[in-house]
């Protein structure tokens, strides 16, 4: 865990400089307010239970805030506020690369039943270790193939490479999420940290992991995309 805390700092610092890259960066979405809860009026929960598997690294695992305050937990609350009987299983493991995720995904899926959606969030630790984008892509291809074979819809949570890795690395890494989403028919949030990564007050002292408030912002900001990614209830 200590390795993860220290080694990821350059990534967040470099990501904050992404707007200075020579390549035009996507325009950020409007920043969601910092609020204890989503501002959408609450709707009574109804309908069938929708089971979602949140599969990722420390950004899902609740590093520094606890599983009960993690992004998946806050997303579940936001979905239920929209009347969706959501149950999110948090399968985030701190330090996981796409390769580690590839190895454990079949085992995790075998332990679950009737999954309506997998939210797949990996890639940040690949950047930290300088893993070639081609290898990251191959790992994602294996995971997406596994999920497609099982008939489980996917929402990809995209990451973005910092410019200090060089233009070729940055181009290849940034393209893989969109390419794979199109190839495998997955839904996509191109850069899911968009609304918080330039707001240091929403990060813990390690400057890596969002605070509980930051995770609330992310849940508020992405819940609509999650709703869209959910397949119609059977």
């Amino acid at each position: 865990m200590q390795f993860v805390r220290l080694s990821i700092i350059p990534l967040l610092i470099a990501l904050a400089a992404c707007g200075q890259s020579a390549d035009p960066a996507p325009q950020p979405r409007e920043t969601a307010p910092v609020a204890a809860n989503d501002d959408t009026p609450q709707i009574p929960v109804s309908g069938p239970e929708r089971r979602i598997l949140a599969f990722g690294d420390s950004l899902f695992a609740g590093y520094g805030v606890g599983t009960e305050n993690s992004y998946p937990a806050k997303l579940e609350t936001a979905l239920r506020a929209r009347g969706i009987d959501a149950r999110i299983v948090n399968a985030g493991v701190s330090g996981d690369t796409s390769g580690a995720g590839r190895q454990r995904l079949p085992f995790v899926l075998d332990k679950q039943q009737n999954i309506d959606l997998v939210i797949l969030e990996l890639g940040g630790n690949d950047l930290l270790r300088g893993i070639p984008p081609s290898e990251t892509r191959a790992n994602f291809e294996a995971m997406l193939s596994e999920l497609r074979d099982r008939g489980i819809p996917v929402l990809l949570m995209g990451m973005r490479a910092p410019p200090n890795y060089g233009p070729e690395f940055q181009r290849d890494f940034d393209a893989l999420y969109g390419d794979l989403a199109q190839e495998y028919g997955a839904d996509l949030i191109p850069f899911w940290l968009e609304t918080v990564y330039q707001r240091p007050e929403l990060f813990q002292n390690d400057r890596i992991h969002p605070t509980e408030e930051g995770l609330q912002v992310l849940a508020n900001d992405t819940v609509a995309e999650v709703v869209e990614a959910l397949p119609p209830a059977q």
Side-chain angles (χ1 to χ4, degrees), residues 110-127:
D110 288 344
K111 295 294 184 181
Q112 304 298 322
Q113 293 182 349
N114 303 319
I115 300 173
D116 294 295
L117 178 70
V118 168
I119 305 177
L120 184 56
E121 177 275 312
L122 289 167
N125 288 311
D126 292 49
L127 288 172

Side-chain angles (χ1 to χ4, degrees), residues 124-206:
N125 288 311
D126 292 49
L127 288 172
L128 288 174
R129 300 185 182 203
I131 294 173
S134 59
E135 185 175 333
T136 300
R137 180 184 288 265
N139 290 328
F140 270 98
E141 287 175 342
M143 289 186 285
L144 290 167
S145 294
E146 178 79 25
L147 290 163
R148 182 178 60 188
D149 291 346
R150 294 177 185 244
I152 303 174
V154 180
L155 173 61
L156 271 177
M157 308 294 263
M159 290 292 290
R160 193 165 68 196
N164 61 304
Y165 280 94
E168 183 176 351
F169 187 107
Q170 185 179 27
R171 181 194 66 232
D172 292 347
F173 184 91
D174 290 358
L176 70 87
Y177 292 95
D179 290 349
L180 292 171
Q182 184 173 9
E183 180 179 352
Y184 288 88
D187 286 280
L188 172 69
I189 298 178
F191 181 37
W192 79 284
L193 301 179
E194 187 72 64
T195 55
V196 301
Y197 84 102
Q198 288 185 315
R199 299 177 64 185
E201 75 276 12
L202 296 182
F203 282 86
Q204 299 175 43
N205 291 335
D206 62 9

Side-chain angles (χ1 to χ4, degrees), residues 55-80:
F55 190 86
D57 52 33
S58 60
L59 295 173
F60 272 13
Y63 182 90
V65 298
T67 305
E68 68 278 9
N69 297 311
S70 64
Y71 168 82
K74 293 185 178 300
L75 178 63
E76 180 181 284
T77 299
L79 288 168
R80 295 182 67 83

Side-chain angles (χ1 to χ4, degrees), residues 10-51:
L11 173 61
L12 262 278
I13 294 173
L15 281 174
C18 279
Q20 302 171 1
S21 173
D23 295 331
Q27 291 300 312
R29 291 167 288 178
E30 183 179 353
T31 300
V34 177
N37 297 291
D38 190 2
D39 293 331
T40 303
Q42 301 240 340
I43 301 172
V45 173
S46 62
E49 182 179 80
R50 313 308 307 276
R51 291 176 56 85

Side-chain angles (χ1 to χ4, degrees), residues 1 4 56-59 61-64 92-97 104 125 209:
M1 191 65 68
V4 174
D57 52 33
S58 60
L59 295 173
Y63 182 90
V93 173
S94 294
D96 254 15
T97 60
R104 71 182 175 94
N125 288 311
H209 299 90

Side-chain angles (χ1 to χ4, degrees), residues 82-95:
R82 284 163 169 72
I84 298 171
D85 187 7
R87 180 188 172 194
I88 300 184
V89 177
N90 190 338
V93 173
S94 294

